[in-house]
Amino acid sequence: MNNIFSKSILRVITASLFLIVLFGLLSGFERLDHSNADDTASQTEVIPEASLNETVSETISESSAEPETDETISENSVSDPFAHYADFKVRGVYISGYMAGSSKMDQVIENIDNSVINTVVIDVKNDDGELVWKAQSKMVLETGCGTNIVSDMPALIDKLHEHGIYVIARCVTFRDPYLPEHHPEWMLHNPDGSVFFDKDKMSWIDPTNRDAWNYIAEIGQDCKEAGFDEIQFDYVRYSTGANETITGLDKQGKIDAVKSFAAYIYEAMHEIELPVSFDVFGTIINSDVDAGIVGQDYYSLSLSADAISPMIYPSHYSNGAFGFDSPDLYPYETIKGAMEDSKKILGTDSSANNIPSGNVVVRPWLQGFTATWLKDHKDYSAEELKQQIRAVYDSGHDQWIVWNPSGKYPWEAFAETEEGNTQAQTFTKLGEGVYFCDYQGDYMLDEYLKANIKTTEEFDEWMTNNLTNGVPTEMGAVKPACSCFFATGADGEHLLGRNYDKYQTDAMILRTTPSDGYASIGIVDLALLNLCLEGCSYTMDDAEALDLIRATPYAIADGINDQGLGAALLVIDKKHEVADTQKDDLLIYMSMRAVLDKCANVEEAVSFLENYDMYSPSSRNSYHIFLTDKGGNATVIEWVDGETYRVDSDAVANTVLSKDVKYPDNLGARYGRLRTALDEGSVNSKQDAMELLKFVSQPGKTDWSAVYDLDNFSVNVCFAENYEKSYTFPE
């Protein structure tokens, strides 16, 4: 199944993706009915409940499907199926068993092949309590719940895997209208001993019944044998109509019962190497009342899950939620608010590293339908899907699944560009004007270098056509008045210090891991990409930001790679003249990307730069590049008077080093201070390096001060002259 992982990395999501429909009304949610999602011509429509405006605390309708999606990389060829679970970024859609078993599935696969979708969630135990294929486990055969809805499930999964599609099994767990005739003793009962039915005439398994637990576990075993990559448990809860007289449990008792089942099924599935996820109501995230009604405690369930999928459809929130009279009209804000609530409970990241509850991945269900039953609603088209997806990314998460019970999706919203690079880039806001992006996908460096781009107009045209989905970068000339130095610490560590002095622009720490080059960490001036500053067209809150940050690899001002090469770009207060030697053409600014991807040390970088005629993005200024490596080398390459010069130096500012040029004190002073400090041996640690950067900073102009450790591939950076707060990457 290696092709699944490959597709997940190459595939890319545009900011327009679609979202899932589920039917469960919670305390903040407004709820709609869900009948089995049979994609036939006579398919049942989704109908709103009669008591649509009731909150969970009052009533939660039982007839809505709660789709859940689990994220994992379970490669059959890998001994540990969970080793890369959080690395695989699920972007999926729900497909009913009926559609999966029909000829329409061929079209679904074709659509996926031409989209950024890499995952399908397929019914296994459906809303009628039936298995959609003839599984052969003992208890399944005994109940007779198997059907021929999908005639050959293993063959279908094999076909999906051939197309690089990750396959999740959706198991409707405790709501089950099929079992009362076969195992009434497993069900919830009324005080008179009769089987309990909710107001939608649905019966429910008693979540404390251990025989039923074994039955669900056998279905999981069937899923594993059929070839599913993971299993997603839906309706892992009590009926909202099952009060204490029905269950014999108070609210905490319900939570404990569901938690016990979750722990059992998690262990049982992990024994057969099948990852587990749970679907949960969105409002349980921050409502103890709702959690007690259905027995779903968000934090507790996360302890027994590889992924957890809150259903956070804007249409399902009550008026007033997140401060909006009609949340359905605010898809971005509603999803963002819900995901931020999730972070308050589980942690700051979507994938494992900083979550106090464990290694759970948070992967929400999003709204892929129009809530026509609401008086105040809007049509959910591609734009609304983009907004919801962007909200997921903006909240620091990077996975999602779209629910529509019919399985009918606007596939054009998922279309790949002609060049094949539609990977949406997620970013995290670290502080005011400071962001982080772990870049995913191909930024087409080799193709860029072959384009012989030598003007900012050509750069913008290439980016618009190849990376940014038509959003213009409008790159202008940048004139950073900066300072850099190289020093060796007392413990032998090789350090690159850099001040980027401009006008306190917004910045992004960027990590890249190209498949055919060296990994790197660098810092981007976002104004170069038409973002954030006054005069720029967009802010990071605009949907276009997700497109523009595709170009961030080409806008780094300084950085290091995992081979120990460091590089920084600085302006020279001298007009740039080009010596056209018939070599390939390259904008000086873009050479930063190339040397970090392709060169392991200073000498390789110098040799690479010699192959190009260098052009400046400014008609009035030239540039030089400061190159350092963990071998202890430091040199400056500068372009002056139509010539290329190399000057070995451990310090550089904005003055020409290759010629004896007189400069005003404000230009020469910073270089002089650096020179004096280095000659006196004042830099013996990273802390000393940051102190020197602070010493030569320019009040009101220093955007960031960065100390790169060339030996350990890390950076410590302070922004906007706030030397009391620093960021370290990797953390």
Side-chain angles (χ1 to χ4, degrees):
M1 213 165 80
N2 289 330
N3 56 339
I4 295 172
F5 182 60
S6 300
K7 180 169 182 176
S8 75
I9 292 179
L10 296 175
R11 279 210 174 164
V12 289
I13 68 175
T14 70
S16 60
L17 298 168
F18 29 107
L19 312 147
I20 35 206
V21 64
L22 169 139
F23 312 98
L25 170 70
L26 286 155
S27 173
F29 279 159
E30 311 213 46
R31 212 148 147 97
L32 55 93
D33 238 340
H34 171 240
S35 49
N36 206 18
D38 160 3
D39 187 50
T40 62
S42 60
Q43 174 166 337
T44 306
E45 248 185 25
V46 175
I47 306 296
E49 281 197 52
S51 56
L52 197 58
N53 293 321
E54 294 177 292
T55 63
V56 162
S57 318
E58 296 161 346
T59 178
I60 304 176
S61 165
E62 303 304 350
S63 56
S64 80
E66 311 166 15
E68 291 221 28
T69 183
D70 189 34
E71 155 190 12
T72 137
I73 286 184
S74 166
E75 297 184 358
N76 293 337
S77 61
V78 179
S79 59
D80 179 2
F82 309 102
H84 303 289
Y85 185 83
D87 298 331
F88 182 76
K89 310 305 180 186
V90 164
R91 285 112 189 182
V93 293
Y94 164 78
I95 299 296
S96 73
Y98 291 96
M99 178 176 281
S102 74
S103 60
K104 295 180 180 180
M105 198 59 188
D106 289 335
Q107 184 62 55
V108 170
I109 293 173
E110 181 179 341
N111 290 336
I112 291 175
D113 285 342
N114 294 302
S115 77
V116 300
I117 298 301
N118 61 12
T119 300
V120 292
V121 180
I122 298 177
D123 282 335
V124 289
K125 180 176 180 282
N126 64 21
D127 295 88
D128 295 324
E130 299 172 329
L131 252 65
V132 300
W133 86 105
K134 292 282 190 180
Q136 297 299 306
S137 61
K138 179 181 178 181
M139 297 178 82
V140 167
L141 291 173
E142 181 263 320
T143 60
C145 65
T147 70
N148 282 317
I149 293 173
V150 178
S151 60
D152 191 338
M153 184 65 81
L156 172 61
I157 294 173
D158 285 345
K159 185 174 183 178
L160 291 167
H161 285 168
E162 288 172 3
H163 288 260
I165 300 168
Y166 189 74
V167 191
I168 299 174
R170 174 180 176 254
C171 177
V172 176
T173 307
F174 292 141
R175 196 181 78 163
D176 194 318
Y178 181 86
L179 280 177
E181 293 185 10
H182 303 274
H183 284 287
E185 72 278 10
W186 293 359
M187 314 307 291
L188 287 174
H189 293 84
N190 295 309
D192 64 4
S194 61
V195 172
F196 164 79
F197 289 88
D198 64 32
K199 67 188 184 66
D200 297 308
K201 310 302 182 185
M202 288 288 182
S203 52
W204 289 72
I205 292 173
D206 181 350
T208 67
N209 188 286
R210 296 299 179 110
D211 290 332
W213 290 13
N214 294 335
Y215 174 64
I216 298 300
E218 280 201 9
I219 292 174
Q221 178 69 50
D222 289 330
C223 292
K224 175 68 175 181
E225 292 175 359
F228 281 97
D229 301 309
E230 68 178 81
I231 187 166
Q232 173 193 104
F233 293 100
D234 202 354
Y235 285 91
V236 183
R237 64 177 179 86
Y238 279 87
S239 162
T240 58
N243 56 33
E244 191 168 345
T245 63
I246 304 297
T247 65
L249 300 172
D250 60 12
K251 291 182 177 180
Q252 186 58 49
K254 289 182 182 179
I255 289 173
D256 291 342
V258 172
K259 182 169 64 173
S260 294
F261 168 77
Y264 162 83
I265 202 67
Y266 179 76
E267 181 177 353
M269 295 300 97
H270 272 229
E271 286 180 358
I272 60 173
E273 298 188 342
L274 191 63
V276 171
S277 66
F278 297 119
D279 293 330
V280 298
F281 280 133
T283 58
I284 69 158
I285 292 173
N286 56 7
S287 172
D288 292 340
V289 173
D290 295 347
I293 290 173
V294 296
Q296 289 182 335
D297 179 76
Y298 196 54
Y299 180 85
S300 296
L301 284 174
S302 74
L303 297 173
S304 299
D306 297 298
I308 193 164
S309 295
M311 301 173 290
I312 54 175
Y313 315 125
S315 64
H316 283 32
Y317 281 97
S318 297
N319 293 344
F322 304 106
F324 299 107
D325 290 339
S326 302
D328 189 64
L329 303 180
Y330 299 92
Y332 174 87
E333 293 83 358
T334 302
I335 299 299
K336 181 78 177 297
M339 296 308 292
E340 288 179 345
D341 282 347
S342 173
K343 286 200 297 184
K344 293 175 184 177
I345 304 300
L346 299 186
T348 59
D349 198 346
S350 64
S351 55
N353 294 331
N354 300 315
I355 297 178
S357 61
N359 292 335
V360 71
V361 171
V362 180
R363 186 195 305 140
W365 282 100
L366 304 175
Q367 180 171 325
F369 56 89
T370 297
T372 55
W373 65 91
L374 294 178
K375 179 180 179 182
D376 294 322
H377 72 273
K378 67 188 307 183
D379 290 336
Y380 270 57
S381 61
E383 178 57 31
E384 285 67 38
L385 299 179
K386 289 180 182 180
Q387 291 180 27
Q388 292 180 87
I389 296 297
R390 182 163 62 88
V392 173
Y393 295 148
D394 287 358
S395 66
H397 298 77
D398 50 20
Q399 302 191 37
W400 42 267
I401 301 179
V402 177
W403 170 267
N404 187 307
S406 71
K408 296 177 180 178
Y409 299 102
W411 290 99
E412 67 277 7
F414 302 92
E416 293 183 326
T417 61
E418 182 177 347
E419 293 75 24
N421 188 350
T422 60
Q423 180 103 13
Q425 302 306 324
T426 68
F427 63 87
T428 302
K429 186 173 183 178
L430 303 177
E432 189 61 36
V434 182
Y435 304 88
F436 172 74
C437 175
D438 190 355
Y439 198 97
Q440 304 293 316
D442 180 16
Y443 41 83
M444 306 174 67
L445 176 60
D446 289 339
E447 291 84 348
Y448 176 87
L449 292 174
K450 293 175 183 177
N452 282 321
I453 292 170
K454 58 186 178 183
T455 68
T456 55
E457 291 78 14
E458 292 172 351
F459 173 86
D460 184 54
E461 181 180 5
W462 192 90
M463 291 295 156
T464 301
N465 292 335
N466 291 276
L467 284 182
T468 64
N469 289 326
V471 180
T473 58
E474 297 182 4
M475 174 175 274
V478 58
K479 298 192 294 182
C482 308
S483 308
C484 291
F485 65 85
F486 172 78
T488 302
D491 295 328
E493 66 272 33
H494 299 96
L495 306 175
L496 165 60
R498 161 59 179 261
N499 273 349
Y500 186 83
D501 305 324
K502 191 178 176 186
Y503 34 66
Q504 297 202 340
T505 181
D506 286 4
M508 175 176 282
I509 300 171
L510 182 73
R511 178 164 52 201
T512 58
T513 52
S515 60
D516 55 353
Y518 301 127
S520 70
I521 302 171
I523 306 177
V524 175
D525 176 354
L526 289 171
L528 286 173
L529 299 177
N530 204 12
L531 282 165
C532 300
L533 284 179
E534 183 177 352
C536 293
S537 299
Y538 306 105
T539 72
M540 295 298 279
D541 291 328
D542 293 325
E544 290 81 0
L546 288 176
D547 294 314
L548 287 171
I549 62 174
R550 298 172 191 271
T552 49
Y554 295 91
I556 59 168
D558 46 77
I560 58 171
N561 67 23
D562 60 3
Q563 302 301 297
L565 174 68
L569 182 74
L570 303 89
V571 73
I572 302 175
D573 191 31
K574 191 171 180 62
K575 184 176 180 179
H576 185 79
E577 297 179 13
V578 179
D580 189 352
T581 64
Q582 304 305 307
K583 298 177 182 177
D584 289 340
D585 300 326
L586 186 62
L587 279 170
I588 295 174
Y589 213 102
M590 307 315 137
S591 64
M592 291 286 294
R593 175 78 276 139
V595 297
L596 290 177
D597 275 27
K598 295 180 175 295
C599 305
N601 53 50
V602 165
E603 293 306 318
E604 288 186 14
V606 172
S607 297
F608 176 86
L609 294 172
E610 289 175 347
N611 294 322
Y612 291 90
D613 288 333
M614 291 294 184
Y615 289 78
S616 171
S618 168
S619 61
R620 298 192 301 176
N621 293 94
S622 188
Y623 294 83
H624 48 200
I625 293 179
F626 187 45
L627 298 169
T628 62
D629 63 33
K630 66 181 181 181
N633 303 298
T635 197
V636 178
I637 304 298
E638 57 188 25
W639 293 268
V640 180
D641 298 333
E643 299 290 338
T644 303
Y645 295 91
R646 173 178 180 173
V647 180
D648 290 335
S649 175
D650 57 0
V652 63
N654 303 111
T655 56
V656 173
L657 297 181
S658 58
K659 295 188 176 185
D660 185 16
V661 180
K662 299 296 182 182
Y663 290 97
D665 289 344
N666 66 325
L667 282 179
R670 284 178 288 110
Y671 175 76
R673 292 174 182 175
L674 290 174
R675 182 75 278 138
T676 299
L678 294 171
D679 290 345
E680 292 177 349
S682 299
V683 180
N684 295 297
S685 65
K686 294 179 185 178
Q687 183 177 352
D688 291 343
M690 188 62 76
E691 287 296 325
L692 179 54
L693 291 174
K694 180 179 179 181
F695 179 61
V696 298
S697 64
Q698 300 189 69
K701 292 185 178 180
T702 298
D703 303 296
W704 65 80
S705 299
V707 177
Y708 291 96
D709 186 334
L710 303 178
D711 299 282
N712 296 301
F713 188 43
S714 67
V715 61
N716 183 31
V717 57
C718 299
F719 292 95
E721 301 169 56
N722 181 3
Y723 293 97
E724 301 301 316
K725 182 175 180 57
S726 65
Y727 300 88
T728 300
F729 290 88
E731 294 180 318

